[in-house]
């Protein structure tokens, strides 16, 4: 997969020890290293907020709520991939927007995957699944589905803005 190839190239590897997954980064610390708090070390605040929200909804609420909460991630990635793919053809192998030369090929691969027809078709199918679930649901469930979608969409926006203007963890 695309992400697995990136992880391999960057020196990440996954293994299982005693049934517990472990991630090693460049042969160094592992995700079970007690020298840091995993949540603080691995994710920035909005990322942790968003993923914690999704995990809570998916683990504790009905499937209809989880389907609605997950939809914004698919929709936004497909939209960004499609828009960037439209722009990429004119910029491919040209100078990057940051003035530091050509952009890494991983960007083109990411854009190709999320802007590609296969991913967009998967998003259309997922959206149809969510819409079918909403049609079968009662008014109360549909209301919760709308709220879970809206919350996830807001958290998705916070996630994307985080590198530009979002918070980081306080230093001690």
């Amino acid at each position: 997969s695309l992400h697995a190839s990136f992880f391999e190239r960057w020196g990440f590897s996954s293994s299982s020890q005693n049934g517990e997954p472990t991630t090693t980064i460049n042969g160094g610390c592992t995700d079970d290293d007690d020298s840091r708090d995993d949540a603080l070390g691995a994710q920035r605040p909005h990322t942790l907020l968003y993923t914690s929200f999704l995990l809570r909804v998916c683990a504790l609420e009905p499937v209809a709520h989880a389907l609605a909460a997950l939809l914004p991630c698919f929709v936004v990635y497909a939209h960004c991939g499609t828009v960037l793919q439209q722009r990429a053809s004119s910029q491919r192998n040209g100078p990057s927007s940051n003035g530091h030369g050509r952009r890494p090929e991983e960007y083109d691969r990411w854009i190709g995957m999320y802007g590609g027809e296969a991913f967009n078709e998967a998003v259309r199918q997922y959206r149809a699944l969510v819409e079918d679930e909403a049609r079968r649901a009662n008014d109360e469930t549909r209301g919760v589905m709308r709220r879970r979608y809206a919350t996830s969409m807001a958290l998705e926006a916070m996630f994307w803005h985080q590198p530009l203007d979002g918070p980081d963890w306080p230093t001690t």
Side-chain angles (χ1 to χ4, degrees):
S1 82
L2 178 70
H3 297 124
S5 70
F6 288 169
F7 293 159
E8 184 179 318
R9 180 175 175 173
W10 298 330
F12 290 76
S13 64
S14 292
S15 62
S16 179
Q17 298 173 352
N18 301 323
E20 296 291 322
T22 301
T23 303
T24 302
I25 305 169
N26 292 328
C29 70
T30 62
D31 63 3
D32 57 335
D33 185 345
D34 291 331
S35 67
R36 63 171 172 78
D37 182 306
D38 284 338
L40 296 179
Q43 297 179 336
R44 293 195 51 202
H46 288 156
T47 307
L48 181 61
L49 178 62
Y50 188 20
T51 57
S52 296
F53 171 77
L54 290 175
L55 287 170
R56 181 185 59 79
V57 170
C58 292
L60 301 175
E61 296 188 22
V63 170
H65 301 177
L67 290 170
L70 291 166
L71 183 58
C73 184
F74 291 100
V75 169
V76 170
Y77 270 67
H79 174 75
C80 290
T82 299
V83 168
L84 290 171
Q85 191 169 49
Q86 291 168 352
R87 293 180 183 173
S89 61
S90 65
Q91 297 174 357
R92 193 171 319 276
N93 296 323
S96 68
S97 61
N98 64 13
H100 296 291
R102 297 175 193 268
R103 70 172 171 262
E105 61 90 19
E106 289 94 345
Y107 289 100
D108 288 329
R109 291 178 57 207
W110 187 97
I111 292 166
M113 178 177 154
Y114 290 110
E117 183 52 37
F119 186 75
N120 278 274
E121 177 57 28
V123 172
R124 285 189 289 275
Q125 291 174 8
Y126 187 80
R127 183 188 302 257
L129 177 72
V130 175
E131 290 171 356
D132 287 346
E133 191 70 28
R135 277 191 288 279
R136 288 192 300 273
N138 61 36
D139 289 342
E140 180 183 351
T141 298
R142 275 191 298 278
V144 174
M145 289 176 75
R146 279 191 286 279
R147 289 191 299 278
R148 295 300 175 264
Y149 177 87
T151 298
S152 283
M153 190 57 83
L155 292 170
E156 185 76 28
M158 291 165 61
F159 167 81
W160 282 89
H161 283 275
Q162 186 171 240
L164 301 173
D165 57 8
D168 209 341
W169 295 111
T171 56
T172 56

